[in-house]
């Protein structure tokens, strides 16, 4: 088990729903930039926000795993940083991760489990597609934008 420290300000935002922001597009639960060093803290924050939003414990583990896979991909393949926006939109919990890498399309997601077909990469994307209710990959102003979502009920 690892210990992840959260700053007092982050703890207040995560713990107090009145401090979260909302707009027509949904309720913003978490918005932050990240690097490799910040991935452990990011996982904790996503899990806490998902719990607050009402995602069941079983689905929450899958959601955090999927977010972690995409965030790791941003760090590993797209310049070492990324940006995450987590929000509740209606009955969905949506996470949008953007990066400044070369970009990619949904065509890179393997059809079968990577390794069974000889592929050595793509397992995170394949897994994310498997456990989420929605996965969209699009081009950002620079880099890629990966949006994944799970229904809360």
């Amino acid at each position: 088990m690892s210990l992840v420290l959260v700053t007092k300000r982050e703890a207040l935002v995560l713990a107090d729903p009145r401090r979260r922001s909302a707009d027509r597009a949904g309720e913003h639960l978490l918005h932050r930039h990240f690097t490799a060093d910040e991935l452990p803290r990011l996982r904790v924050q996503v899990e806490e926000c998902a719990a607050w939003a009402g995602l069941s414990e079983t689905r929450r583990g899958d959601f955090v795993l999927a977010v972690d896979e995409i965030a790791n991909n941003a760090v590993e393949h797209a310049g070492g940083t990324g940006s995450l926006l987590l929000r509740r939109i209606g009955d969905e919990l949506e996470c949008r991760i953007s990066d400044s890498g070369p970009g990619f399309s949904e065509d890179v997601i393997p059809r079968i489990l990577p390794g069974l077909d000889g592929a050595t990469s793509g397992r995170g994307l394949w897994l994310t597609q498997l456990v989420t209710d929605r996965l969209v990959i699009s081009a950002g102003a620079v880099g890629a934008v990966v949006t994944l979502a799970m229904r809360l009920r």
Side-chain angles (χ1 to χ4, degrees), residues 4-14 32 41 45:
V4 177
L5 299 176
V6 177
T7 66
K8 186 175 183 178
R9 182 178 176 279
E10 290 169 335
L12 286 172
V13 171
L14 291 170
R32 63 171 298 180
R41 176 182 288 176
Q45 291 175 327

mmCIF file of all heavy atoms in Angstrom, residues 4-14 32 41 45:
data_model
loop_
_atom_site.group_PDB
_atom_site.id
_atom_site.type_symbol
_atom_site.label_atom_id
_atom_site.label_comp_id
_atom_site.label_asym_id
_atom_site.label_seq_id
_atom_site.Cartn_x
_atom_site.Cartn_y
_atom_site.Cartn_z
ATOM 1 N N VAL A 4 -0.345 8.517 -0.496
ATOM 2 C CA VAL A 4 -0.358 9.636 -1.417
ATOM 3 C C VAL A 4 -0.802 10.864 -0.637
ATOM 4 O O VAL A 4 -1.852 10.862 -0.006
ATOM 5 C CB VAL A 4 -1.310 9.378 -2.601
ATOM 6 C CG1 VAL A 4 -1.367 10.588 -3.500
ATOM 7 C CG2 VAL A 4 -0.862 8.152 -3.365
ATOM 8 N N LEU A 5 0.010 11.894 -0.666
ATOM 9 C CA LEU A 5 -0.318 13.115 0.047
ATOM 10 C C LEU A 5 -1.122 14.035 -0.856
ATOM 11 O O LEU A 5 -0.801 14.217 -2.020
ATOM 12 C CB LEU A 5 0.960 13.814 0.496
ATOM 13 C CG LEU A 5 1.839 13.007 1.441
ATOM 14 C CD1 LEU A 5 3.120 13.773 1.731
ATOM 15 C CD2 LEU A 5 1.099 12.713 2.732
ATOM 16 N N VAL A 6 -2.163 14.610 -0.297
ATOM 17 C CA VAL A 6 -3.005 15.555 -1.014
ATOM 18 C C VAL A 6 -2.905 16.875 -0.278
ATOM 19 O O VAL A 6 -2.979 16.915 0.952
ATOM 20 C CB VAL A 6 -4.468 15.061 -1.042
ATOM 21 C CG1 VAL A 6 -5.367 16.057 -1.726
ATOM 22 C CG2 VAL A 6 -4.549 13.701 -1.730
ATOM 23 N N THR A 7 -2.708 17.963 -1.018
ATOM 24 C CA THR A 7 -2.599 19.258 -0.358
ATOM 25 C C THR A 7 -3.928 19.632 0.290
ATOM 26 O O THR A 7 -4.983 19.105 -0.057
ATOM 27 C CB THR A 7 -2.221 20.367 -1.363
ATOM 28 O OG1 THR A 7 -3.296 20.543 -2.274
ATOM 29 C CG2 THR A 7 -0.934 20.040 -2.086
ATOM 30 N N LYS A 8 -3.852 20.564 1.225
ATOM 31 C CA LYS A 8 -5.062 20.997 1.932
ATOM 32 C C LYS A 8 -6.083 21.549 0.945
ATOM 33 O O LYS A 8 -7.263 21.250 1.033
ATOM 34 C CB LYS A 8 -4.697 22.049 2.971
ATOM 35 C CG LYS A 8 -5.839 22.458 3.854
ATOM 36 C CD LYS A 8 -5.380 23.406 4.925
ATOM 37 C CE LYS A 8 -6.534 23.753 5.843
ATOM 38 N NZ LYS A 8 -6.105 24.634 6.917
ATOM 39 N N ARG A 9 -5.643 22.333 -0.028
ATOM 40 C CA ARG A 9 -6.559 22.890 -1.024
ATOM 41 C C ARG A 9 -7.224 21.787 -1.833
ATOM 42 O O ARG A 9 -8.422 21.802 -2.071
ATOM 43 C CB ARG A 9 -5.815 23.848 -1.942
ATOM 44 C CG ARG A 9 -6.721 24.488 -2.971
ATOM 45 C CD ARG A 9 -5.938 25.481 -3.848
ATOM 46 N NE ARG A 9 -6.789 26.008 -4.861
ATOM 47 C CZ ARG A 9 -7.072 25.381 -5.999
ATOM 48 N NH1 ARG A 9 -6.581 24.204 -6.249
ATOM 49 N NH2 ARG A 9 -7.861 25.939 -6.899
ATOM 50 N N GLU A 10 -6.440 20.797 -2.279
ATOM 51 C CA GLU A 10 -7.004 19.681 -3.043
ATOM 52 C C GLU A 10 -7.999 18.900 -2.199
ATOM 53 O O GLU A 10 -9.056 18.506 -2.688
ATOM 54 C CB GLU A 10 -5.891 18.741 -3.523
ATOM 55 C CG GLU A 10 -5.017 19.336 -4.592
ATOM 56 C CD GLU A 10 -3.779 18.510 -4.853
ATOM 57 O OE1 GLU A 10 -3.331 17.768 -3.959
ATOM 58 O OE2 GLU A 10 -3.254 18.614 -5.964
ATOM 59 N N ALA A 11 -7.690 18.694 -0.936
ATOM 60 C CA ALA A 11 -8.602 17.965 -0.057
ATOM 61 C C ALA A 11 -9.910 18.710 0.101
ATOM 62 O O ALA A 11 -10.984 18.101 0.109
ATOM 63 C CB ALA A 11 -7.955 17.737 1.306
ATOM 64 N N LEU A 12 -9.860 20.034 0.201
ATOM 65 C CA LEU A 12 -11.083 20.818 0.327
ATOM 66 C C LEU A 12 -11.944 20.701 -0.924
ATOM 67 O O LEU A 12 -13.152 20.537 -0.840
ATOM 68 C CB LEU A 12 -10.753 22.292 0.587
ATOM 69 C CG LEU A 12 -10.244 22.634 1.980
ATOM 70 C CD1 LEU A 12 -9.781 24.073 2.016
ATOM 71 C CD2 LEU A 12 -11.323 22.384 3.010
ATOM 72 N N VAL A 13 -11.324 20.792 -2.077
ATOM 73 C CA VAL A 13 -12.083 20.696 -3.321
ATOM 74 C C VAL A 13 -12.690 19.310 -3.470
ATOM 75 O O VAL A 13 -13.849 19.160 -3.848
ATOM 76 C CB VAL A 13 -11.189 21.035 -4.534
ATOM 77 C CG1 VAL A 13 -11.894 20.730 -5.831
ATOM 78 C CG2 VAL A 13 -10.783 22.502 -4.485
ATOM 79 N N LEU A 14 -11.917 18.273 -3.150
ATOM 80 C CA LEU A 14 -12.416 16.908 -3.279
ATOM 81 C C LEU A 14 -13.506 16.602 -2.261
ATOM 82 O O LEU A 14 -14.441 15.873 -2.549
ATOM 83 C CB LEU A 14 -11.266 15.915 -3.105
ATOM 84 C CG LEU A 14 -10.239 15.900 -4.227
ATOM 85 C CD1 LEU A 14 -9.037 15.074 -3.817
ATOM 86 C CD2 LEU A 14 -10.826 15.401 -5.520
ATOM 87 N N ARG A 32 -7.035 19.175 -13.824
ATOM 88 C CA ARG A 32 -5.631 19.408 -13.489
ATOM 89 C C ARG A 32 -4.701 18.889 -14.566
ATOM 90 O O ARG A 32 -5.049 18.014 -15.346
ATOM 91 C CB ARG A 32 -5.283 18.798 -12.146
ATOM 92 C CG ARG A 32 -5.419 17.289 -12.098
ATOM 93 C CD ARG A 32 -4.868 16.723 -10.853
ATOM 94 N NE ARG A 32 -3.444 17.030 -10.813
ATOM 95 C CZ ARG A 32 -2.642 16.670 -9.835
ATOM 96 N NH1 ARG A 32 -3.113 16.033 -8.806
ATOM 97 N NH2 ARG A 32 -1.368 16.943 -9.865
ATOM 98 N N ARG A 41 -1.079 10.469 -7.184
ATOM 99 C CA ARG A 41 -2.029 11.421 -6.606
ATOM 100 C C ARG A 41 -3.266 11.542 -7.498
ATOM 101 O O ARG A 41 -4.383 11.620 -7.012
ATOM 102 C CB ARG A 41 -1.381 12.783 -6.438
ATOM 103 C CG ARG A 41 -2.380 13.830 -5.921
ATOM 104 C CD ARG A 41 -1.769 15.173 -5.792
ATOM 105 N NE ARG A 41 -0.853 15.164 -4.670
ATOM 106 C CZ ARG A 41 -0.088 16.170 -4.332
ATOM 107 N NH1 ARG A 41 -0.106 17.269 -5.050
ATOM 108 N NH2 ARG A 41 0.702 16.095 -3.291
ATOM 109 N N GLN A 45 -7.250 11.003 -6.506
ATOM 110 C CA GLN A 45 -8.239 12.056 -6.725
ATOM 111 C C GLN A 45 -9.386 11.578 -7.616
ATOM 112 O O GLN A 45 -10.550 11.876 -7.344
ATOM 113 C CB GLN A 45 -7.575 13.291 -7.332
ATOM 114 C CG GLN A 45 -6.660 13.991 -6.362
ATOM 115 C CD GLN A 45 -5.917 15.141 -6.997
ATOM 116 O OE1 GLN A 45 -5.569 15.108 -8.176
ATOM 117 N NE2 GLN A 45 -5.671 16.175 -6.211
#
